[in-house]
Amino acid sequence: MRRKFVAGNWKMNLNVAKARALAEGLQAKIAPGVPVDLAVFPPFTMLSAVGEALKGSAIKLGAQNCYFEAEGAFTGEVAPGMLVDVGCELVLIGHSERRHILGETNAMLKKKIVAALAAGLKVIYCVGEKLDEREAGRTEAVLHQQIHEVLGPDISLSSVVIAYEPVWAIGTGKTATPDQAQEAHAYIRREIGTLYNGKAAETLRIQYGGSVKASNARELMSQPDVDGALVGGASLKVEEFVGIIEGAAAAR
Ligand code: PGA
């Protein structure tokens, strides 16, 4: 059985004081020993403060992005090793906002994953189709490209989680139906089986992301190939995020 993994992507929100308060609020409300892996991804400027606030808790710290070089003249970028230095254990790579607003390509994302893993970080690699791609029946073709152009035998999957996030469901309140999520997750798992092997496919965790809320979390995560959630908006509210974690714990 794959253990469920719920992560909160705080995106470009909050400030140090609010981020610390959110981290403390989560710690106070999450039931000790809940059988779900947990992580939050604050903006860079809040990582240290949130890391301090989460000391001793089961919630792991992650960053929303990193660069693929270890150091040097790359103004404005942050190296994977710098994230480790401030206490990060994870990093998000390939979020759709970075692909579509910041123009990150599959080639860049591959280099980022290699660099992050080499620094000892775990990676959540995000994939997902846009609305026009889904409507044109190209969902699997897009996922195929995002998987095959980025992953492969040169990248060990033991520290990688995939997040399936249909772009049309992110921040829109339009969640994929449990069937739509399951269908995409099963496709991703099949492709991982082809690219790696059956064992890699079986152990890989695939999170769903896109308007996950306390009210839909349990049903989504009860799908056989949905192993958790990557949560944006609802991860900024203690009650909602805790409700999603409870949904994950109750999912069957
Ligand atoms: P959302 O964002 O939950 O606000 O839709 C999800 C994400 O972008 O990771």
Side-chain angles (χ1 to χ4, degrees), residues 9-177:
N9 172 11
W10 294 357
K11 306 195 179 184
M12 198 174 75
N13 292 297
L14 310 170
N15 57 32
V16 170
K18 288 179 181 165
R20 192 184 284 123
L22 177 55
E24 285 164 358
L26 289 174
Q27 275 216 77
K29 284 275 161 60
I30 293 170
V34 66
V36 177
D37 287 341
L38 302 169
V40 292
F41 295 78
F44 289 133
T45 57
M46 301 161 211
L47 287 171
S48 289
V50 172
E52 281 291 315
L54 292 179
K55 261 213 182 104
S57 100
I59 309 170
K60 305 251 190 285
L61 184 68
Q64 298 171 18
N65 177 37
C66 67
Y67 196 55
F68 50 75
E69 298 286 355
E71 62 180 359
F74 304 103
T75 302
E77 293 299 320
V78 175
M82 295 172 179
L83 299 179
V84 173
D85 187 45
V86 290
C88 287
E89 294 181 49
L90 300 116
V91 64
L92 293 182
I93 303 284
H95 189 278
S96 69
E97 286 145 20
R98 299 215 56 90
R99 289 178 188 268
H100 303 304
I101 303 174
L102 283 307
E104 295 192 357
T105 62
N106 284 337
M108 283 169 75
L109 299 178
K110 184 177 188 76
K111 288 200 220 172
K112 288 187 177 200
I113 294 178
V114 169
L117 293 176
L121 291 166
K122 294 188 171 67
V123 167
I124 298 182
Y125 173 52
C126 306
V127 299
E129 81 288 358
K130 294 188 285 186
L131 183 60
D132 59 325
E133 293 165 337
R134 174 163 282 262
E135 286 176 346
R138 297 192 55 243
T139 298
E140 292 190 353
V142 171
L143 295 176
H144 188 278
Q145 219 174 2
Q146 291 172 337
I147 292 167
H148 288 266
E149 288 184 5
V150 175
L151 303 176
D154 54 333
I155 291 176
S156 159
L157 282 190
S158 57
S159 295
V160 175
V161 169
I162 291 184
Y164 169 64
E165 299 203 303
V167 181
W168 48 272
I170 295 179
T172 58
K174 261 194 241 161
T175 319
T177 64

